[in-house]
Amino acid sequence: MQPVISMNFIDYMILGAYVLVTIVVGYALKKYMKTSEDFFLSGRSLPSWITSLAFLSANLGALEVIGMVANSAKYGILTVHFYWIGAIPAMIFLGLFMMPFYYSTKVRSVPEYLKHRYNEATRGLNALSFAIMTLLMSGISMYAMALLFELTLGWSLTSSILLSALVVLIYVFFGGLSSSIYNEVIQFFLIWLGLLPVVYIGLHAVGGFAGLVSRIPPSFMHAWQHMGSASDNPMGVDWLGVVLGLGFVLSFGYWTTDFLVVQRAMASENLSAARRTPLIASFPKMLVPIIVVVPGLLAVALLPQFKVVPGGPSPDYNSALILMFARYLPNGILGLAITGLLASFMSGMAGNVTAFNTVWTYDIYGSYIKPNMPDEHYLRMGKYATVFGVVFSIGTAYIVQSFPNLMDYMQLIFTFFNAPLFATFLLGMFWKRTTPWGGFWGLLLGIMAAATHYLMYQLHIVHYSSEMAANFYQAWWAWCTDFVMTIVISLFTKPKPESELVGLVYGLTPKAHSDERFFRRPAFWGILALVVMVVLNLLFW
Amino acid sequence: MESSEPRRHFFDLKIPLGSLLGFYGLLLLVYGLVGPRDIYQKSANLDVNAIWGVIMILISAAFLLSAFFERRNRSNS
């Protein structure tokens, strides 16, 4: 097949400059890596503007970008639910209520919190499932990138995979989490600067926002109006599924317990900065639809192959963004857009690799295989873990080739691991009676409930109007099972003495007293973010 | 506060980031001004390379200047 995009020397110069800068930044960080905390937690010294942008970029991988543009071309503005209701309340909750427990206890990872709050078994279960999940995700990222570059630029699958793996390996190996975070910040600017031109040119070509509205189906412009029942909207989900499955369980599960994102906030210089991290990140998060939803809508309005024909063949929505690039971007700016995508693929992968090496070193290797070694030993282990993390990711990249729909597959993984985990955290942080074994069995049964539901759906015992609805409800039932079973088992088992729970549970933790000015206070940013989110939802009702 | 010694920051990210964006800005601006014209038929006859080049130079300048002033303030105090 002929590649859709042809890059010239200017485009390659832009791409090359990016690769060069990431490697130089990673190498320059090498001399700061003296202890394992420097490597795994950036020495807890980063200012909140950096951690916020990294927090956001960790979730703005190219797979999400391409997938969400595809969703927008398919479902219209309904896609904003992933950015507004499906992210903002959870980010605010993390900043205002949960971050103090993570940051003040000086735990180094999410599984480590579970060890202090519950027991070794709960930590082991979470560490193991998380390590597997990150390697799968990183493999998915790599494969998706290689596939995209094969189709659009004509690069071979193997050369894209090896190139990206090598670059990520070099910069994470030298600079650890700091490298990963710095690259996520660079990626944040590149993805915005790379995608805005296509929005600008597209809107110019279609005759402005009014022109856009007149050329797409009216139902594509409303976020809530058609959510009354699952059959009324193209997503096949009702409002209850969106609010409970996506807005509550999946979103809270992802944003508040996934170590990949929480790790970025833990790298902050102090508690207040750690709490501000998700809160500040929520503002650019609300704007992300400008660069993902608008290009999807523009594709429907401008490109003939995406014209909505009732009963017609379904177009390949995943190519929407690339076809917009190919149609509207001249060389030069084209290289910038491709570089933005490459940057977000690589930083998505680097994020997974850094979360993996931390959990592997602290929670698996340092707890079960070789505890009580000097710090240099763990620093060295972290570097080795980076190498085999990347090697395993290359392996998974070839395994996931056989999976048909990567986006649904990712959501599916989250319903298994993150959704029940959120119930375990909620009870652990806010109910001191929750017992260690209640936590462990609740989590295990929650994961098994997700598996059972998945099996029942696959065997057609339960039915949903779409794959997405099945995922949302699966998340909800996994969460409920964990929540109820943790309470029931806790009532029959022995709780931890209160003296061991100080700092870990709400009500047993002294309130942080703050004399900062109002614009530095987390509560101010949290309330402001909530107000903006409500207004945006009303505007696009 | 928890520690009395001044916290050690890693190097200032604004410098490599500003430089990269500045390089891109210059490259796009020059290519937009002297490069081929027919490629802009694609972009509704807008010379987006030159326009975007200027915008990126401005963003880059903002990063580099703020890094410069922060450093000067620190050495003064």
Side-chain angles (χ1 to χ4, degrees), chain A residues 29-322:
Chain A
L29 284 165
K30 183 178 165 226
K31 65 173 188 228
Y32 299 96
M33 300 297 130
K34 300 236 164 54
T35 67
S36 66
E37 286 237 328
D38 292 336
F39 190 77
F40 297 121
L41 284 168
S42 301
R44 299 191 197 264
S45 63
L46 297 176
S48 53
W49 76 271
I50 292 204
T51 53
S52 304
L53 295 184
F55 185 90
L56 177 62
S57 299
N59 184 252
L60 196 62
L63 198 55
E64 279 88 354
V65 172
I66 291 181
M68 289 302 166
V69 173
N71 278 342
S72 313
K74 200 169 167 186
Y75 307 125
I77 217 158
L78 291 176
T79 310
V80 296
H81 293 317
F82 287 95
Y83 293 90
W84 298 346
I85 186 117
I88 306 304
M91 290 164 84
I92 296 172
F93 188 77
L94 172 66
L96 291 186
F97 300 106
M98 285 175 74
M99 196 45 76
F101 302 118
Y102 279 131
Y103 195 89
S104 314
T105 49
K106 294 282 166 207
V107 294
R108 296 165 300 185
S109 68
V110 165
E112 194 172 345
Y113 175 87
L114 290 173
K115 177 196 160 187
H116 291 304
R117 176 60 187 85
Y118 293 107
N119 54 20
E120 203 57 66
T122 316
R123 172 215 230 167
L125 179 62
N126 177 240
L128 209 63
S129 56
F130 182 78
I132 295 170
M133 186 169 104
T134 45
L135 291 182
L136 280 175
M137 292 287 179
S138 142
I140 292 177
S141 252
M142 212 173 348
Y143 170 65
M145 175 182 88
L147 187 67
L148 178 80
F149 284 7
E150 183 183 40
L151 295 179
T152 56
L153 303 172
W155 297 5
S156 88
L157 220 56
T158 304
S159 59
S160 305
I161 288 181
L162 291 183
L163 172 78
S164 60
L166 189 69
V167 175
V168 168
L169 176 63
I170 293 173
Y171 75 73
V172 178
F173 186 84
F174 289 126
L177 179 66
S178 311
S179 253
S180 188
I181 286 184
Y182 276 17
N183 273 299
E184 281 157 7
V185 175
I186 295 176
Q187 175 234 323
F188 175 84
F189 288 97
L190 289 182
I191 196 89
W192 275 90
L193 291 166
L195 291 184
L196 276 176
V198 87
V199 173
Y200 172 70
I201 300 166
L203 280 176
H204 185 84
V206 82
F209 198 70
L212 173 63
V213 173
S214 70
R215 289 171 73 165
I216 55 177
S219 68
F220 269 46
M221 287 311 294
H222 294 285
W224 291 102
Q225 230 171 63
H226 304 279
M227 297 299 279
S229 98
S231 52
D232 289 351
N233 65 74
M235 243 183 209
V237 192
D238 54 11
W239 66 273
L240 196 67
V242 167
V243 172
L244 291 181
L246 177 66
F248 183 59
V249 177
L250 272 178
S251 145
F252 277 73
Y254 177 76
W255 292 100
T256 66
T257 70
D258 195 302
F259 182 52
L260 173 62
V261 285
V262 175
Q263 189 179 24
R264 270 104 199 111
M266 282 181 173
S268 304
E269 55 196 349
N270 57 45
L271 174 60
S272 176
R275 297 180 69 193
R276 279 198 307 270
T277 296
L279 300 173
I280 294 177
S282 68
F283 292 93
K285 180 79 186 172
M286 286 187 265
L287 296 179
V288 172
I290 297 176
I291 53 170
V292 299
V293 177
V294 180
L297 297 177
L298 286 168
V300 175
L302 291 167
L303 301 177
Q305 58 268 55
F306 293 105
K307 219 174 165 90
V308 184
V309 188
S314 170
D316 174 20
Y317 289 108
N318 282 321
S319 64
L321 183 63
I322 292 298

Side-chain angles (χ1 to χ4, degrees), chain B residues 21-70:
Chain B
L21 298 184
F23 170 73
Y24 285 167
L26 283 175
L27 198 67
L28 289 179
L29 179 61
V30 172
Y31 189 65
L33 294 179
V34 306
R37 315 292 331 153
D38 54 334
I39 56 173
Y40 301 109
Q41 282 167 6
K42 267 185 166 181
S43 54
N45 291 318
L46 293 169
D47 184 349
V48 279
N49 282 334
I51 302 171
W52 213 240
V54 171
I55 292 173
M56 290 186 77
I57 290 170
L58 293 177
I59 298 172
S60 146
F63 275 116
L64 294 176
L65 286 176
S66 89
F68 172 76
F69 283 115
E70 260 173 44

